[in-house]
Amino acid sequence: MKKSITILCGLFVAATLFAYDAESLLKKAEESTAFYGLDFKGNYSIVQSKPGEGNSSTEAIMYRRDSEGKWTILVTGPSSEKGKGYLQFDGNIWFFDPTDRRFTFTNAKDKFQSSNANTSDFAPQRYASDYAIVSHEQVKLGALDCVLFELEAKVQNVDYPRLKLWVTVNDGLVRMKEDYSLSGQKLRTTAVPSYQAVKSDYGTFSVPVKMLITDNLRGKKIGDKVQYEKTQVTISNVSFGHESNAVYTKAFLETQSN
């Protein structure tokens, strides 16, 4: 009798753990990527690994004002790249090169500093707003209890028409993402192994510690195995507060390169 009760209790706990509403969880996953009502600032270290060619790295400072859809990325290293920057406002993204002091138009799908990361990877994600749920199921991702979503774009202007998304049930955080073409070819894989809890006057926010992006199209056969290009993004010194409005202007990038 005691054994039966234990089994039933275990099943109840498992069922409770996996109790979720798919649309609400996906919306929570989207909301976890945005910080409204305040400005975000963080140091980004982007290290790209090319099989057989070694690593290259970029250091940058990210500023975001999600409530207005604005962000600025200032490249601080290496010295040959220092002073370059990216700016988004009014739905447009501009790239600044201090060499000729010119701004050129770019878009969210473009690669950041020739890495495997897109510029859109650094901004809020629109999982629930831009995608429809095709299917969802309860799965394990390592030790994590997740819901695996298969999503298909319901709007035109997206980086990838199809996604697979692993979201932890208890906190609504994205743990892994796979990007697919419309035909079903896997293009990229992004893993988010851990998050950091950052306190602010507006509450505590979860920010990735690291993101590992694997480009499933760009690889090289070494020996008898294909090794793909990878980019690791590490986020540190995160703070929330209010930055000057000037930070989100072309003039800011121009003055930082002097």
Side-chain angles (χ1 to χ4, degrees), residues 98-160:
T99 304
D100 54 14
R101 304 193 65 77
R102 290 180 58 187
F103 284 89
T104 56
F105 182 76
T106 182
N107 66 65
K109 299 179 184 180
D110 286 345
K111 299 300 181 185
F112 176 78
Q113 292 294 99
S114 300
S115 70
N116 307 109
N118 301 338
T119 53
S120 59
D121 292 328
F122 303 102
Q125 304 298 301
R126 295 176 58 83
Y127 303 126
S129 302
D130 291 350
Y131 291 86
I133 299 174
V134 176
S135 67
H136 56 90
E137 62 176 320
Q138 305 167 356
V139 298
K140 280 277 192 180
L141 183 64
L144 298 173
D145 296 302
C146 295
V147 172
L148 168 57
F149 290 94
E150 289 197 28
L151 308 175
E152 193 167 284
K154 57 186 179 182
V155 298
Q156 293 294 320
N157 190 27
V158 295
D159 288 4
Y160 303 99

